[in-house]
Structure formats: C-alpha cells, structure tokens
Amino acid sequence: MASSWLEKLGLSENELEDLRILAYSFIRQGHYKTALKIYKGIVILSNKAPEDLETIGALFLQIGEAKEAIDPLEKALKIHKDHLKTRLNYAKALLLSGYRQRGVQECIELMRSVDPVISSDAEALKLAYS
C-alpha cells in the first residue's frame, strides 16, 4: 500500500526522507504538534515503519496525550521488541494513562537493562508511580 501511495503521489523514498527531515526540524524547534501531523502522513506513506511509529508515540507523550501514544508504541514494539527507548516510552505512556500494573511491570523489566541510562530512567519512573 505504501509504495502505491508513493507512486500515486509521484514521490520516492528520497522525498519521504525529506519529510522526515522537515518533521525533525519542527521537533528541534519545539513545534511538536506540527511535527506530529507530518509524521502521521509519513506513517501512511512508509507503510508504518517502526522508527516512524516510535517517533509518533514520543510526540504524543511530548504533547501530553499519553493514551494516544500507546497504540503506535505497541505497533513499533511488535516489530522491534527489544528497542529500549521505545519500551521506556511505552512504560511511561502506560503509567500516565492509568495502566499502573502494566507500566510498573515494564519498568521492572527495563531496570535489568545493561544500558545504565535506560535502567536508571526505568527505576525513576517506577519509583514515581509506586
């Protein structure tokens, strides 16, 4: 489906990457809602690439819409099960949305990570919701 949309619009992967760069520039400027709109289009065109889904989830968290972040983060984790930053954002989205048990369990698993930043962030998140 994605390639047919790209073809119908006369776009290539290069233009899709240009859209990502444009969205990233809006993120760097703090215009998260604008970047989110661009990324929603990118996801349609990219056939739901996990990196794009991860970014959408993070953007939803950034604008305070934690429940909206859960679905794209779950979809990204189905593809990249062990992407630690996405799992941390997923745990945060769960906790902020009121799914305390699932969020704390995800934090406990992330606390075992060999990455000290991920493990300490997961521990801090768990402590904040315990």
Side-chain angles (χ1 to χ4, degrees):
M1 180 80 141
S3 63
S4 69
W5 272 112
L6 287 175
E7 289 170 14
K8 285 180 184 180
L9 295 172
L11 300 174
S12 70
E13 288 295 325
N14 289 335
E15 283 90 10
L16 193 57
E17 190 59 31
D18 290 344
L19 286 173
R20 287 184 181 101
I21 292 167
L22 175 65
Y24 182 71
S25 71
F26 280 110
I27 291 169
R28 299 271 302 166
Q29 296 173 38
H31 299 289
Y32 304 118
K33 288 184 179 181
T34 303
L36 182 61
K37 288 177 186 178
I38 296 168
Y39 261 101
K40 285 180 178 180
I42 290 170
V43 164
I44 292 168
L45 296 173
S46 69
N47 200 20
K48 299 181 181 175
E51 297 82 9
D52 298 329
L53 292 165
E54 293 160 3
T55 303
I56 284 180
L59 285 167
F60 274 125
L61 282 173
Q62 190 66 40
I63 63 171
E65 295 184 22
K67 279 194 177 185
E68 297 294 322
I70 293 173
D71 184 56
L73 293 172
E74 283 179 341
K75 288 177 181 174
L77 287 170
K78 285 181 182 176
I79 301 166
H80 286 160
K81 297 173 224 165
D82 297 323
H83 191 266
L84 297 175
K85 187 76 168 170
T86 303
R87 288 183 63 195
L88 187 62
N89 279 338
Y90 180 61
K92 184 177 183 179
L94 291 171
L95 291 166
L96 289 170
S97 298
Y99 301 108
R100 188 184 168 283
Q101 186 175 7
R102 285 174 51 200
V104 168
Q105 182 58 42
E106 190 70 31
C107 286
I108 290 169
E109 290 176 24
L110 287 169
M111 287 167 55
R112 297 183 197 119
S113 171
V114 294
D115 183 330
V117 173
I118 295 293
S119 60
S120 67
D121 285 354
E123 184 174 9
L125 196 54
K126 179 186 168 285
L127 288 172
Y129 285 88
S130 293

